């Protein structure tokens, strides 16, 4: 799907999708022959996760921490516990 379709499907502004991509929160998508970004279901899942975290008031550093834990769930989770506990206290 193209960027506009991804944005619409997730309720995100197109520029926000580009920003998350620049910040490394979304992986760089493949490009079509016409140089359009082509996003897949994994992009939609990740963007939905980011949007959910942001709706809970998490900043981008916290989202990055959660994403790194998702990428390597076997790692120690003390930092993630602190992050979640801090977020619960703020809410």
């Amino acid at each position: 799907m193209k960027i506009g379709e991804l944005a619409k499907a997730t309720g995100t502004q197109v520029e926000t999708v580009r920003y998350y991509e620049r910040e490394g929160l979304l992986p760089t998508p493949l490009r079509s022959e016409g140089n359009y970004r082509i996003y897949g279901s994994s992009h939609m899942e990740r963007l939905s996760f980011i949007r959910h975290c942001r709706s809970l008031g998490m900043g981008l550093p916290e989202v990055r921490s959660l994403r790194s834990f998702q990428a390597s769930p076997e790692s120690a989770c003390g930092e993630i516990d602190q992050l979640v506990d801090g977020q619960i206290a703020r809410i």
Side-chain angles (χ1 to χ4, degrees), residues 6 11 18 34 38 41 50 54 56-57 62 71 80 83:
L6 176 65
R18 289 184 184 123
I38 303 297
S41 60
I50 294 167
R54 298 289 289 148
L56 296 172
E62 289 86 7
I80 298 303
L83 187 147

Side-chain angles (χ1 to χ4, degrees), residues 9-53:
T10 59
T12 308
Q13 297 292 318
V14 169
E15 190 52 43
T16 302
V17 175
R18 289 184 184 123
Y19 175 74
Y20 290 157
E21 187 182 324
R22 282 192 308 270
E23 290 295 310
L25 291 169
L26 283 177
T28 303
L30 298 175
R31 296 274 185 157
S32 70
E33 288 184 25
N35 204 30
Y36 290 101
R37 291 172 171 93
I38 303 297
Y39 296 92
S41 60
S42 64
H43 290 97
M44 186 181 301
E45 288 174 22
R46 188 174 296 187
L47 183 54
S48 295
F49 175 79
I50 294 167
R51 298 273 300 158
H52 183 71
C53 291

